Amino acid sequence: MSYTRMRRSYGAQKSNRSNYRRKSSKPKSSASINPRRFIKVAKTEEVSEYQPTHMFNDFQISDLLKTNLSRKGYKVPSPIQDQAIPLALESKDIIGIASTGTGKTAAFIVPIIQKLSTQQSSAALIIAPTRELAQQIETEFKEMAKGFGIRWATLIGGSSMGYQLKDLRNNPRVIFGTPGRIQDHLKRGSLSLSKFNMVVLDEVDRMLDMGFINDVTEILKFTSGTRQSLFFSATLGAKVQDLAMRFSNSPVTISIKASSTSENVHQDIIGFGNSNEKIEKLHNLLINQEVAKAIVFDETQRNVDRLNQELIDRGFSVEAIHGGKTQSKRQRALKKFKDSEVNILVATDVAARGLDVKDITHVVNYSIPREYDDYIHRVGRAGRAGKMGYAYTFVSSKDI
Ligand code: AMP
């Protein structure tokens, strides 16, 4: 089926919406999200440009840091950077409501580097929900901290304990890590956080969803009592607020409108009757010229592996990531996708969380996400940096 014909048939499904109102008698499951919420016409008009109140040169940061920023090609601060950097430099606690793609990483890395370079006794702990995100933050830090001589350690699961122990013996002043591995080091006595007076929790909502609440609370108790806390989250639910309030001091909340999350993503559903029809429809979607780079989400590790194989057998250029793969395999797959050696990545939610891959054109929800928040996060992968993206969600015909 051609792309245009396919689009028309989705349109026909859209016009038959009365069924959506039918109340499902099923227990709460992924299918309990009303399919109507997966349909949205993207805004085609230009999103009005944010007028920053600062340039990077205006910030009270060192010349070396300014040079590193400009070497990275950062000229104008993004909204979250514009608002958070001056406050963070003043040692304020911050709750930043901003998702991946808004430039939130530099919003906390810049003040951290500035403070570490001027306050020898300072140290920073940055906790991320996934290994990939922790590594992404480390990469951004390495580029921005060039020439400062700041030592760091990255403490994530699935990678060598030996290297981490070696890095820790060098008294790093920045720790990047995931909750589980940081806890492991605390328990072994290989990590002491008492001097860590800057703490960043990135993607707090995801961390809580992933069940890290106890780990994170425990870890925070080990950090310095006079601590600056920076919390970043795509959404501000009650649990996130609760955690932020418990572990911060009169925080300033900065909320960035997530224009990249879904406004410029054209969202639609694809109905299917059975699994054969489902895979055929996916095939038809992926062979389309317009699909330059696509993430296909599926529910379980097994399903991801199965779908990956099926797409390979059909001649697609695919990689897969999920939590059951070793860290090096995940990294290799991701690199191939980022470098466009393959143009399709099949993934579970957890593995794909927070990934900064710029040119994704299509997000395909081969299985329906459990929560609408997951949907928003998935869809946010497409249409980044003002580009138009597409998100298609497979919905069983009986649920439409
Ligand atoms: P993040 O939301 O931190 O994952 O950032 C998303 C992407 O935007 C990353 O690829 C950054 O390198 C890039 N970025 C962040 N801040 C800026 C900026 N001020 N100017 C240009 N690119 C930026």
Side-chain angles (χ1 to χ4, degrees):
M1 195 197 291
S2 77
Y3 183 72
T4 329
R5 271 177 54 209
M6 215 157 46
R7 302 262 331 113
R8 266 194 224 122
S9 71
Y10 302 158
Q13 286 163 0
K14 256 190 279 184
S15 62
N16 182 20
R17 281 181 185 164
S18 56
N19 288 344
Y20 298 157
R21 295 206 182 87
R22 213 173 38 207
K23 210 169 169 203
S24 168
S25 55
K26 278 189 233 154
K28 187 173 161 43
S29 71
S30 53
S32 65
I33 304 172
N34 189 330
R36 202 188 247 191
R37 300 180 81 188
F38 305 136
I39 302 171
K40 189 172 168 188
V41 178
K43 281 190 187 160
T44 46
E45 75 261 27
E46 288 283 304
V47 181
S48 66
E49 228 167 73
Y50 175 80
Q51 294 299 329
T53 50
H54 308 89
M55 288 293 154
F56 281 113
N57 269 341
D58 302 331
F59 293 134
Q60 301 295 308
I61 56 175
S62 66
D63 287 344
L64 178 56
L65 190 45
K66 285 177 187 169
T67 308
N68 289 350
L69 284 164
S70 100
R71 203 178 286 149
K72 262 184 83 61
Y74 291 10
K75 293 191 185 79
V76 183
S78 71
I80 187 77
Q81 294 161 1
D82 187 36
Q83 295 174 50
I85 291 173
L87 292 168
L89 288 169
E90 285 172 26
S91 300
K92 294 262 189 334
D93 284 0
I94 294 175
I95 303 175
I97 309 303
S99 48
T100 300
T102 55
K104 67 180 165 59
T105 316
F108 59 81
I109 291 291
V110 168
I112 283 175
I113 294 173
Q114 177 62 21
K115 291 189 145 199
L116 293 178
S117 65
T118 52
Q119 305 167 359
Q120 282 314 307
S121 58
S122 285
L125 171 69
I126 295 150
I127 313 177
T130 62
R131 302 161 182 182
E132 278 78 11
L133 184 58
Q135 285 175 318
Q136 235 165 249
I137 301 169
E138 178 197 13
T139 305
E140 184 115 355
F141 167 82
K142 277 197 286 193
E143 289 165 356
M144 280 189 232
K146 269 200 185 106
F148 282 96
I150 301 168
R151 284 191 295 270
W152 76 90
T154 301
L155 310 179
I156 56 176
S159 62
S160 156
M161 207 47 160
Y163 284 121
Q164 293 177 12
L165 292 170
K166 188 165 156 275
D167 287 344
L168 285 172
R169 279 195 290 274
N170 283 333
N171 294 324
R173 293 180 64 211
V174 189
I175 302 276
F176 306 97
T178 44
R181 187 53 72 92
I182 294 173
Q183 276 273 50
D184 286 350
H185 282 286
L186 286 170
K187 282 186 193 140
R188 294 170 72 119
S190 44
L191 172 66
S192 162
L193 291 174
S194 57
K195 293 203 178 79
F196 282 69
N197 58 355
M198 279 183 272
V199 173
V200 177
L201 295 194
D202 200 7
E203 302 208 340
V204 183
D205 49 352
R206 173 55 34 167
M207 240 176 306
L208 300 183
D209 287 351
M210 286 168 73
F212 287 138
I213 178 83
N214 291 337
D215 283 338
V216 170
T217 4
E218 277 304 306
I219 293 167
L220 289 178
K221 285 183 196 156
F222 283 96
T223 59
S224 164
T226 51
R227 174 191 58 216
Q228 178 180 16
S229 307
L230 307 173
F231 294 84
F232 289 86
S233 184
T235 52
L236 185 62
K239 279 197 281 181
V240 175
Q241 280 196 50
D242 196 51
L243 186 80
M245 288 306 161
R246 271 177 67 197
F247 290 97
S248 63
N249 192 6
S250 312
V252 182
T253 302
I254 301 170
S255 187
I256 300 304
K257 194 173 160 283
S259 67
S260 64
T261 311
S262 60
E263 302 245 308
N264 52 349
V265 180
H266 191 90
Q267 299 161 54
D268 210 340
I269 56 171
I270 301 178
F272 64 92
N274 56 42
S275 55
N276 281 342
E277 194 185 342
K278 191 178 181 189
I279 188 71
E280 291 308 326
K281 283 194 168 177
L282 177 67
H283 184 122
N284 286 337
L285 174 66
L286 294 178
I287 55 171
N288 200 279
Q289 287 287 318
E290 292 190 29
V291 181
K293 205 175 247 196
I295 286 203
V296 181
F297 286 99
D298 209 349
E299 205 161 38
T300 60
Q301 299 179 359
R302 234 171 97 199
N303 286 358
V304 164
D305 281 335
R306 203 179 289 154
L307 184 57
N308 178 43
Q309 195 53 54
E310 176 72 39
L311 292 174
I312 290 170
D313 293 346
R314 286 168 180 256
F316 288 101
S317 175
V318 198
E319 276 292 339
I321 55 167
H322 58 63
K325 290 196 173 225
T326 61
Q327 189 57 17
S328 58
K329 277 194 176 154
R330 278 159 72 163
Q331 265 170 277
R332 246 194 328 269
L334 200 57
K335 185 165 186 317
K336 279 185 164 180
F337 186 57
K338 277 189 176 180
D339 295 348
S340 299
E341 277 180 50
V342 299
N343 75 325
I344 299 167
L345 184 72
V346 188
T348 53
D349 277 311
V350 169
R353 178 75 186 187
L355 295 185
D356 176 30
V357 182
K358 288 190 178 63
D359 43 2
I360 294 171
T361 53
H362 288 66
V363 168
V364 181
N365 298 310
Y366 200 59
S367 63
I368 293 176
R370 271 175 207 288
E371 307 282 343
Y372 191 66
D373 264 4
D374 290 326
Y375 175 78
I376 293 292
H377 285 297
R378 289 183 183 185
V379 170
R381 313 288 99 221
R384 312 264 310 258
K387 286 186 199 149
M388 179 77 116
Y390 297 87
Y392 293 109
T393 302
F394 279 79
V395 181
S396 166
S397 306
K398 61 184 186 327
D399 292 320
I400 297 175

